C-alpha cells in the first residue's frame, strides 16, 4: 500500500499532549503521514517527509475517527410510530424493545446483515471509524448467537446483550431467563463476543440478576460493561465499578456516591445524549462527572427505539450545548474517550504507531462540530489507512 502525506492541515487534533497544546493536543499547520494501516509521522507541515501520495487539506481540520463505543445495530423493523407517539406525549419504557425483538427474530440473516452494513457505512460517512455492536434483539440462544456472528464480521467490538430485557416467553419466569442467559445462551454467544452487557434498570434486570449475568460472562472470558442508571437511580454504576467493567453507560441519574465511585475507578462513564434527546428526557450531567475526575466517553446508543442516530457529531453538539462539556472535552470523549471505554490504545488519537483512523472536516477547527450543529462536515475518512470517504 502506498504511503500518503496529508499536509496543509489547519488544525490537527492529536489527543496526545506530547504533540500539541491543550487537552486535545492541538497542532497548527500540521502534516500526517499514513503508511499501511498506521500513522507513521506527525508534525509541522514544514518538516514533513515525502510520501508516495499527497493530500492537501487546504487549511481544514484533521481529527481522529470517532469511536462509537455503544450501539445496537443488529435488528430489523421500524419504530417510527412509537417515536411519533412519544413525541405526542407518551413516556418511554424498556418494554418497547420487544417490538424490535419480534421483527428481528422474523428476519432472514441476509436482511440483518444488510441493515447492519448500511448503518456501519452511514456512520463511516460521518467520521466513525470504529463502532461497538451489541446483540439483544434476539433473546433466544439461536437469535442472540446469530446477531453476534453477523456483527463480528463488521467489528471486533461485539457485545453479548442477551440481558437486554426478559424474553417474552419468560415474562412469568425471569429467574428462568437469567438461567438461560448465564447458561446455554452464553455458551453459544461467547465465541463471537468480546464483551458482556446487561440492562440494569427497573423493568429489565435488577442488581442481583445483573451481577449473576456479568459474573457468568466474566467466567467465560468476556469483559463487562453495563447499561446503568438511565431511567432512574439504581445499583448499575456501583456494580459496574465493583466488577471492573470497562464502562458504565448512560449514567443519567447518579448519586454523589455513584460519581465518586466512577471517579475513583477505571470504569469509563459513557454518556449517550441521543437517548435523552429522543425520549425527551433530562440529559446526564457531564460537567459533574468531569469535575469529579471521571473519564467520560460520548456515544450514539444507535438503536431503533430510543436513539436512532449514528451521528457522533450530533452527540458532540448536544453534549456541548446541554451537558456542560467544552468543545475540546466533547471531541476527546467521542474519540479517545470511546477508545478508553473499549480498552483500545491503538485508536482515538493521531500519533505515531496508532491505527490510521482519521477524518478531515470541511471546517478549520473541530469546534465547528458543535458550532455548526446538524451540518454534514465530514470531507474525508481513512479507516486503518484506507480512504473510505
Ligand atoms: Zn444501549
Amino acid at each position: 500500500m502506498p504511503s500518503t502525506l496529508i499536509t496543509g492541515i489547519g488544525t490537527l487534533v492529536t489527543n496526545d499532549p506530547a504533540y500539541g497544546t491543550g487537552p486535545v493536543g492541538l497542532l497548527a499547520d500540521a502534516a500526517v503521514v499514513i503508511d499501511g494501516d498506521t500513522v507513521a509521522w506527525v508534525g509541522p507541515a514544514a518538516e514533513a517527509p515525502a510520501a508516495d501520495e499527497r493530500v492537501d487539506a487546504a487549511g481544514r481540520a484533521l481529527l481522529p475517527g470517532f469511536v462509537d463505543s455503544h450501539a445496537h445495530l443488529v435488528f430489523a423493523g421500524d419504530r417510527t410510530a412509537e417515536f411519533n407517539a412519544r413525541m405526542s406525549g407518551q413516556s418511554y419504557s424498556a418494554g418497547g424493545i420487544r417490538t424490535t425483538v419480534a421483527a428481528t427474530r422474523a428476519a432472514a440473516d441476509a436482511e440483518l446483515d444488510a441493515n447492519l452494513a448500511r448503518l456501519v457505512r452511514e456512520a463511516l460517512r460521518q467520521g466513525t471509524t470504529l463502532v461497538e455492536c451489541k446483540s439483544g434483539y434476539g433473546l433466544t440462544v439461536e437469535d442472540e448467537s446469530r446477531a453476534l456472528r453477523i456483527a463480528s464480521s463488521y467489528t471486533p467490538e461485539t457485545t453479548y446483550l442477551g440481558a437486554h430485557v426478559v424474553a417474552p416467553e419468560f415474562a412469568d419466569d425471569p429467574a428462568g431467563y437469567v438461567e438461560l442467559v448465564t447458561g446455554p445462551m452464553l455458551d453459544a454467544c461467547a465465541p463471537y463476543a468480546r464483551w458482556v452487557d446487561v440492562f440494569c434498570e427497573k423493568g429489565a434486570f435488577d442488581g442481583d440478576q445483573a451481577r449473576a449475568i456479568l459474573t457468568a460472562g466474566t467466567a467465560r472470558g468476556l469483559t463487562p460493561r453495563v447499561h446503568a442508571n438511565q431511567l432512574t437511580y439504581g445499583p448499575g454504576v456501583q456494580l459496574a465499578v465493583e466488577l471492573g467493567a470497562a464502562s458504565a453507560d448512560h449514567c443519567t441519574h447518579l448519586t454523589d456516591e455513584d460519581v465518586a465511585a466512577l471517579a475513583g475507578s477505571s470504569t469509563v462513564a459513557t454518556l449517550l445524549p441521543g437517548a435523552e434527546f429522543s425520549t425527551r428526557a433530562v440529559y446526564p450531567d457531564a460537567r459533574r462527572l468531569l469535575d469529579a475526575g471521571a473519564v467520560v466517553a460520548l456515544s450514539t446508543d444507535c438503536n431503533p427505539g430510543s436513539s436512532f442516530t449514528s451521528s457522533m457529531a450530533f452527540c458532540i453538539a448536544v453534549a456541548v450545548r446541554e451537558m456542560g462539556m467544552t468543545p475540546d472535552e466533547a471531541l476527546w470523549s467521542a474519540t479517545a474517550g470511546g477508545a478508553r471505554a473499549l480498552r483500545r490504545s491503538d485508536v482515538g488519537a493521531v500519533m505515531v504507531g496508532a491505527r490510521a483512523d482519521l477524518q478531515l472536516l470541511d471546517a478549520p477547527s473541530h469546534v465547528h462540530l458543535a458550532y455548526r450543529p446538524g451540518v454534514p462536515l465530514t470531507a474525508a475518512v481513512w479507516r486503518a489507512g484506507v480512504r473510505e470517504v
Side-chain angles (χ1 to χ4, degrees):
M1 207 155 81
S3 60
T4 302
L5 167 66
I6 307 171
T7 189
I9 302 165
T11 309
L12 174 66
V13 175
T14 65
N15 278 340
D16 186 341
Y19 287 102
T21 57
V24 294
L26 292 178
L27 196 59
D29 303 319
V32 168
V33 175
I34 302 171
D35 195 2
D37 62 356
T38 57
V39 173
W41 189 89
V42 178
E47 298 170 18
D52 302 322
E53 293 174 357
R54 188 172 185 277
V55 173
D56 185 0
R60 293 174 291 175
L62 189 78
L63 342 171
F66 293 129
V67 178
D68 189 352
S69 61
H70 185 136
H72 308 247
L73 305 179
V74 187
F75 65 86
D78 173 80
R79 281 159 70 185
T80 311
E82 180 189 318
F83 177 81
N84 193 18
R86 198 163 60 235
M87 292 303 111
S88 309
Q90 294 177 15
S91 68
Y92 173 69
S93 77
I97 292 166
R98 294 189 186 93
T99 310
T100 300
V101 169
T104 304
R105 286 178 178 178
D109 290 12
E111 181 184 348
L112 296 179
D113 194 291
N115 197 25
L116 174 57
R118 182 178 62 77
L119 288 168
V120 169
R121 186 75 208 167
E122 178 183 285
L124 187 63
R125 280 202 312 269
Q126 300 171 87
T128 299
T129 46
L130 180 63
V131 63
E132 182 258 16
C133 187
K134 302 174 195 297
S135 68
Y137 293 120
L139 310 185
T140 67
V141 172
E142 292 72 25
D143 288 305
E144 285 295 298
S145 61
R146 170 171 81 142
L148 287 162
R149 179 170 44 76
I150 292 169
S152 64
S153 62
Y154 290 89
T155 177
E157 306 301 342
T158 51
T159 300
Y160 169 45
L161 183 59
H164 200 182
V165 287
V166 172
E169 297 77 14
F170 287 83
D172 299 325
D173 181 20
Y177 187 65
V178 172
E179 272 179 41
L180 181 69
V181 167
T182 56
M185 193 187 282
L186 173 61
D187 290 338
C189 289
Y192 304 109
R194 179 175 180 213
W195 307 96
V196 58
D197 194 349
V198 56
F199 190 11
C200 183
E201 193 72 51
K202 222 167 253 168
F205 298 89
D206 68 22
D208 291 339
Q209 293 169 326
R211 176 187 298 277
I213 290 156
L214 296 172
T215 304
T218 303
R220 287 298 306 261
L222 309 183
T223 305
R225 45 201 321 108
V226 184
H227 280 71
N229 302 54
Q230 175 188 3
L231 304 175
T232 57
Y233 295 93
V237 162
Q238 296 286 348
L239 186 65
V241 170
E242 182 197 327
L243 297 181
S247 176
D249 297 52
H250 285 291
C251 294
T252 311
H253 297 277
L254 301 182
T255 64
D256 289 346
E257 289 73 24
D258 294 335
V259 173
L262 287 165
S265 76
S266 61
T267 301
V268 173
T270 299
L271 309 183
L272 309 163
E276 281 79 26
F277 179 91
S278 301
T279 58
R280 206 175 262 161
V282 173
Y283 290 105
D285 188 347
R287 189 75 263 145
R288 182 181 177 209
L289 285 160
L290 289 164
D291 288 348
V295 176
V296 172
L298 281 174
S299 295
T300 63
D301 194 18
C302 184
N303 79 83
S306 60
S307 182
F308 201 12
T309 182
S310 54
S311 171
M312 292 290 282
F314 167 76
C315 295
I316 287 172
V318 174
V320 169
R321 174 63 182 83
E322 301 287 343
M323 291 154 59
M325 300 185 89
T326 68
D328 280 4
E329 287 168 340
L331 192 278
W332 188 94
S333 291
T335 51
R340 290 277 284 273
L342 293 171
R343 298 203 171 151
R344 294 278 297 255
S345 56
D346 59 330
V347 297
V350 183
M351 55 190 183
V352 172
R355 198 169 89 161
D357 285 2
L358 307 166
Q359 58 177 317
L360 183 67
L361 294 187
D362 250 333
S365 158
H366 62 291
V367 178
H368 279 231
L369 292 166
Y371 176 44
R372 307 203 64 212
V375 177
L377 294 176
T378 308
V381 178
W382 290 261
R383 184 173 56 183
V386 177
R387 176 83 181 258
E388 296 278 6
V389 175

